Amino acid sequence: MAELDRLMDAAACHGGPFSPSYSARLDRTEEFPAEAVRVLDEFGVHRYFVPARFGGRQAELPEVVDLLRAVARRDLTVAIAYGKTFLGVTPVWAGGTSEQSAWLARQVLENAMVTWALTERGHGADLMSGEVGATRTADGWQLDGAKWLINNATRAPLVLLLARTDAGGGPRGFSLFLVDKRSLEPGSYTCLPKEPLHGIRGADISGIDFHEAKLPADAVVNAAGTGFEIVLKSLQVTRTVCTALSLGAADHALRLAADFTQGRMVYGRRLSELPGVRWVLGEAIAGALLAEVVTVVATRSIHTLTGEMSVISAIVKALVPELVEDLITAVGELLGARGQLIDEYADGLFQKLDRDHRIVAIFDGSTTVNRNALINQFPVLDRRYRKGGYDEPGLNRAADLTGSLPELDTSALTLLSKAGCSVVQSVPKAVAEIRRLGAQEAAPDSVVRQAREFGEAVDGVLAELAEHRPERHDVPAGAFALAQRYEACFAGAACLRLWLHNVGVATDRATLWRDATWLSGCLARVLALLGAGQEADAARAYESLAEVLLATEGGAVPSILTDVPTAEPRVRA
Amino acid sequence: MTTGAGRNPPRRGVFPPLPDDLEHRLGLPMAEDNPLGFTAVLAADELAEVLEAGERVLDDYGLNAEFVPAGHGGRLSGLDRMVYVLRTACRRDPVLGLGYGMSSLMAAVNVWTSGSRRQQERVAELLLGNRKLACAFHELEHGNDLARAEFVATPSGAPGADSFVLSGRKQVIGNVERADAIVLFARTGQGPGSRSHSLLLLDMATLPRDGYRYLPRFHTSGLRGMALGGIEFLNCPVPASSVVGVEGHALETALRAFQITKVALPGSSAGILDTALRTAVRFTLGRRLYGRKVADLPYPRGILGDAFADLLVSDCFAMSVTRALHVLPGEGSTPTAAVKLLVPTVLVEATKRLSALLGAQFYLRSGEYSMMQKLVRDSQPSAFVHASRSACRMSILPQLPLLARRGWSSGVPAPAQVFRPGGSLPPLRFEELSLSSRGQDHLGASLLALAGKLPGGSAAHREVQSLVDLFAGEWSRLSEACSGLPPRELTVTASPLSYRLADRYALLLAAGCCVGVWLESQDGADPFLRHPSWLIAVLTRLAARLGRPRQAIPDHVQSHLFGELLRRYHDSRAFDLSGQQLMEWHP
């Protein structure tokens, strides 16, 4: 990480490919950030997209999150352009044969870009309506049809593609194909033009159209008919890791906010000295830290609560981009006209990141798609919460930052979580634990109060969940609002867990950990999402967080990860 | 108006349609070959240019006449009408709606409020001759903090010379290079206080050519085509007769005059949400997901219904406050700031939620729905231009204790005509616009006063009553919190908890306006506006902003709302209170 940061810092000097002026120019001219991608290639970020067992360096997914976040913090377009390969390869690790995986691993380690082509014109998120079809031939497959709005469809030599293999469709009617454009007959495919976009303007968002393209028999991943299931399981991993992009955007926005409010004079004071402004800053940091905690716990859960990822990934992909959009809006308001100006302030990077970031809530499953997935699992979430109990070892390992993680067992991914959601199911116990610490004066009174209010709010949400009647087609609008509240429950619970497991090892200089500052701020944010909590607690917490942000130097922003000694990632059997 | 009138007679005569209706002149929005259609609007946006054909239409229509009081030969008789006309332009293109005339309006209101007869005549002459004015207040270093503005006008030292010498820069100024006259905010005194600045009306043609230069244009993400420039004065002499009103009173004049524009800007911007909503409805009707039309799925319907309600809230609030400026001109300082505080946020959020409904289609700058990404960008500046939310809170906060002690509990609501959009109004008395309402707030008193006079009867009426009671309870709590505020909590260093009282005030005031408009619609011709459904919807949306657990709009209300939404969509009628006939969207 430090080495990647050094490389990108160096490339940020003298108008290099990671400099603000360079980012701004490529956004204006809508050019692909090829030079920035070369810097990442040079470091070898792609090695982390390949699991260690296939010769890569990926031991834990939190590492991938850290890397993508570090890139996204500088330029979201670059992170999205580069990160696409992670999406393109994950399904093969999850579902491919060992030969396919080994072959693909070699390709990626040799710097080949891989794209994941799911969507088609006119269907978007509705993958089951996909029309791109593959039919069997004597010695393989023939592929026809167009995939559209595909990141790197033109630039990537390798395409992992979902195609209909049974005219009748249905859950077993689709298959994944690993297509090597370099070995297709010329003329059997056309790349569709790059689309002009609202944000990530430099990215290669285009399409690919196949005309009787001949594929070898072994191009099908796993077996015909398994495509849909592999996609759904892989999305549980990719959706979770994708939120790294939001964390990077949040880092960037907060840094711009801190710099601006400290430099700007109004009414004879620094903007950062006005209590009203500090509330906005504090609330924004609380949102960013909450997004961080949710992502960290969720990403670690891929390894330790693998069977619950159908729930967790839906929560994290819906909630995190939304939290970050909210904080970007708040920062935009602080920046005022400067946030809108394209070349006047900070190279116009704020308005760029604002536009860029909106794609995160759209791709790899939109917020609505994810909320739908969560709603479909309401019955088991209700049942499991009422029953009590959770996967304690799995949750402990997910929350304990000092421990290393077991290798991901992709065979443990399931379409529907049977165990519910351990993070939320652990709330009553976590609240009791905070109370116990409060009684020993090891947790501040305000946090004990917030935790109690949170526990009550969670009970309220789960009571509503119990009232929910599943509807196959007409998911009522109210269920989406309820899903949103359930996500807030998850977020608060993740905070309690993370704090309880790590507060003992946080270093003394850790201002975020002292007096449970970050926990109090995050709980305030969660309680606001749940329509509970007290403004006075929020005001106190946000003020402390603003203080921490404004004291953070060197272009950094506060992170709960900074002050906890985390274990070196290593693969464990 | 000729369009569709035969098939769908207007249900409600909000504004008598004019023979030369602007909407009609703008033509069919979806027609590819219409030089004023969305295709042309988007092409201009890509080039970061203003839509020239659109400006010509506004010239022909004489849009500027809407800014000129009848006494000076213009058509400004009611601010609500002016807002509706601007909104019409904003629905087609926010850059056109805001970029063509907002700079002139901002400059002119200062002159109507404090200028001399001669200055007023000059401004009227320019505007009626289709010339533009610019309003040069902003300096990048000081933003909304006008009292710190550095631009100086120094009395020239020459004996007998009756003039000022200008020097300094003004930045991010709409139309500055295209303006024949500029209203300029300049420091004329040394002190730090509020009496150290003056307004100057500069006739650009009379200034020495080497006395000023224009700065390069500022490029923005939202309202890309807007001509935002800057101007630098280099020891430029101007006659002392340029001063608008009393020397040293610029801040006071501006704070009074801008009460008008603080409402006009969000009120006009509501047109952005109208087009966003229409675009989203079009998408949901044309798109299929999981084998069904998106418009048949409850969740998208909920988002559309919410946005419809948000637009009605915005309109009720902006309309009532513009009308109140005519009826209660001395009480405008807090309600106008409250509109600027709340309405842009409502519009921006609603537009954004609608855009999310489009999924990836929203993200495309090409294709059938590409207006959406422009509307998202164009909606954003309204939240902080002209007066940021914190500046609005600062205008409201210091007045809250007195309003709480005197105004809100008076039991006397604002006169009924305030809540009747399009109804007749007394002329606007600019000179009575006041910095402080001295504890009077009839608009604020309305909700508590009307809460006991609601019609009863149906279950829906009972729902209305219980929502209104909830807001009445909130008013009492706000009153209590405000009356006890110590003086130190009324300044810029007030705690965030005090600041947030201003936000609450805005929400409750908006709720009161919605109740007022509903009550005054009871004898109107529009069955939708008479029905309690929309009021339940808008109050539910406002209640969600009070920090309570979010409640969805009840199902029966939602289906009523959605039915009206679809009807208006198919009939090409506006989604605001007017429901006015628009040009067909489906050629």
Side-chain angles (χ1 to χ4, degrees), chain A residues 100-159:
Chain A
Q100 283 169 330
S101 298
W103 182 83
L104 185 63
R106 273 197 308 278
Q107 294 292 324
V108 174
L109 293 173
E110 284 164 18
N111 264 346
M113 255 187 196
V114 186
T115 182
W116 195 9
L118 295 179
T119 53
E120 299 173 17
R121 205 182 282 272
H123 307 306
D126 185 4
L127 299 181
M128 291 268 242
S129 299
E131 292 174 76
V132 169
T135 44
R136 278 188 205 273
T137 60
D139 53 352
W141 298 86
Q142 177 185 310
L143 193 59
D144 282 281
K147 290 287 178 183
W148 185 61
L149 290 189
I150 307 299
N151 187 359
N152 289 333
T154 303
R155 302 182 76 94
L158 298 172
V159 183

Side-chain angles (χ1 to χ4, degrees), chain B residues 482-496:
Chain B
C482 293
S483 22
L485 280 176
R488 72 183 141 76
E489 281 301 296
L490 305 178
T491 67
V492 287
T493 55
S495 81

Side-chain angles (χ1 to χ4, degrees), chain A residues 76-356:
Chain A
L76 210 44
T77 307
V78 176
I80 289 168
Y82 197 88
K84 179 66 184 195
T85 294
F86 175 76
L87 308 189
V89 296
T90 298
V92 177
W93 315 145
T97 62
S98 50
E99 292 77 23
Q100 283 169 330
S101 298
W103 182 83
L104 185 63
R106 273 197 308 278
Q107 294 292 324
V108 174
L109 293 173
E110 284 164 18
N111 264 346
M113 255 187 196
V114 186
T115 182
W116 195 9
L118 295 179
T119 53
E120 299 173 17
R121 205 182 282 272
H123 307 306
D126 185 4
L127 299 181
M128 291 268 242
S129 299
E131 292 174 76
V132 169
T135 44
R136 278 188 205 273
T137 60
D139 53 352
W141 298 86
Q142 177 185 310
L143 193 59
D144 282 281
K147 290 287 178 183
W148 185 61
L149 290 189
I150 307 299
N151 187 359
N152 289 333
T154 303
R155 302 182 76 94
L158 298 172
V159 183
L160 186 70
L161 173 136
L162 185 69
R164 183 181 287 255
T165 40
D166 179 338
R172 308 288 298 174
F174 292 84
S175 310
L176 273 176
F177 291 89
L178 186 52
V179 180
D180 188 344
K181 280 155 74 178
R182 296 164 300 191
S183 59
L184 290 182
E185 264 178 57
S188 67
Y189 75 94
T190 338
C191 292
L192 303 175
K194 164 180 158 74
E195 291 290 341
L197 301 177
H198 176 63
I200 56 164
R201 294 187 172 193
D204 164 27
I205 306 295
S206 51
I208 184 163
D209 192 359
F210 296 93
H211 334 280
E212 301 182 3
K214 304 285 184 293
L215 304 179
D218 63 357
V220 67
V221 175
N222 194 301
T226 60
F228 207 67
E229 185 176 339
I230 298 174
V231 167
L232 289 181
K233 288 180 176 174
S234 306
L235 282 169
Q236 295 175 16
V237 177
T238 56
R239 283 175 178 166
T240 307
V241 171
C242 268
T243 50
L245 301 167
S246 287
L247 300 189
D251 291 341
H252 193 173
L254 284 180
R255 198 58 247 165
L256 288 169
D259 291 347
F260 177 72
T261 54
Q262 280 171 307
R264 177 87 166 175
M265 299 294 289
V266 285
Y267 310 115
R269 303 159 202 275
R270 285 180 201 288
L271 198 55
S272 59
E273 290 168 19
L274 300 181
V277 169
R278 295 169 79 92
W279 166 291
V280 177
L281 283 176
E283 189 181 31
I285 304 154
L289 293 174
L290 191 58
E292 181 178 59
V293 169
V294 169
T295 300
V296 166
V297 171
T299 317
R300 295 179 65 86
S301 298
I302 299 175
H303 295 266
T304 70
L305 295 167
T306 316
E308 299 183 21
M309 287 312 294
S310 61
V311 170
I312 296 175
S313 63
I315 289 172
V316 64
K317 182 63 171 56
L319 177 64
V320 169
E322 204 163 80
L323 285 171
V324 173
E325 276 181 17
D326 284 352
L327 84 86
I328 288 174
T329 303
V331 168
E333 224 175 273
L334 282 181
L335 293 177
R338 276 189 173 61
Q340 281 282 316
L341 292 173
I342 288 176
D343 27 37
E344 192 61 30
Y345 181 75
D347 293 286
L349 285 191
F350 176 77
Q351 56 83 28
K352 174 179 180 295
L353 89 87
D354 181 15
R355 284 183 288 105
D356 283 358

Side-chain angles (χ1 to χ4, degrees), chain A residues 484-498:
Chain A
Q484 211 170 358
R485 287 202 288 279
Y486 189 87
E487 291 156 19
C489 295
F490 179 92
C495 291
L496 291 176
R497 279 288 149 204
L498 203 73

Side-chain angles (χ1 to χ4, degrees), chain A residues 30 122-124 126 148-149 195-201 264-269 274-276 279 325 329 332-333 336-338 340-344 351 354-356 358-359 362 368-369 473-477 480 485 530-531 535-536 539, chain B residues 140-143 145 148 172 218-222 224 287-292 296-299 302 352 355-356 359-366 373 376-377 380-381 384 389 391 394 492-497 499-500 547-550 552:
Chain A
E30 313 198 21
H123 307 306
D126 185 4
W148 185 61
L149 290 189
E195 291 290 341
L197 301 177
H198 176 63
I200 56 164
R201 294 187 172 193
R264 177 87 166 175
M265 299 294 289
V266 285
Y267 310 115
R269 303 159 202 275
L274 300 181
W279 166 291
E325 276 181 17
T329 303
E333 224 175 273
R338 276 189 173 61
Q340 281 282 316
L341 292 173
I342 288 176
D343 27 37
E344 192 61 30
Q351 56 83 28
D354 181 15
R355 284 183 288 105
D356 283 358
R358 289 227 38 203
I359 194 66
I362 296 172
T368 314
V369 165
H473 294 297
D474 278 334
V475 179
F480 285 84
R485 287 202 288 279
L530 291 168
E535 276 194 332
Chain B
L140 260 179
E141 275 318 299
H142 303 286
D145 185 9
R148 309 268 160 187
V172 202
F218 293 87
H219 292 275
T220 51
S221 168
R224 260 168 80 88
R287 183 95 168 169
R288 298 186 76 80
L289 260 188
Y290 314 112
R292 312 187 53 190
D296 291 336
L297 301 170
Y299 178 64
K352 194 172 157 186
S355 71
Q361 294 295 319
F362 143 69
Y363 216 69
L364 293 171
R365 273 161 45 233
S366 60
Q373 53 83 26
V376 166
R377 283 185 286 111
Q380 288 173 338
F384 48 79
R389 291 215 292 161
M394 270 321 298
V492 287
T493 55
S495 81
L497 299 183
Y499 263 102
R500 290 164 71 79
R548 320 173 143 266
R550 268 180 185 272

Side-chain angles (χ1 to χ4, degrees), chain B residues 239-316:
Chain B
S241 60
S242 312
V243 174
V244 177
V246 180
E247 191 179 321
H249 283 217
L251 211 53
E252 199 177 313
T253 297
L255 287 174
R256 290 165 59 214
F258 283 161
Q259 289 173 23
I260 294 166
T261 43
K262 273 183 199 165
V263 199
L265 177 64
S268 313
S269 303
I272 300 178
L273 180 54
D274 196 304
T275 300
L277 183 51
R278 212 168 296 272
T279 307
V281 173
R282 187 180 163 84
F283 172 83
T284 57
L285 289 172
R287 183 95 168 169
R288 298 186 76 80
L289 260 188
Y290 314 112
R292 312 187 53 190
K293 238 192 313 189
V294 175
D296 291 336
L297 301 170
Y299 178 64
R301 291 167 83 114
I303 305 262
L304 297 172
D306 286 353
F308 187 19
D310 288 346
L311 181 51
L312 291 172
V313 168
S314 304
D315 202 13
C316 284

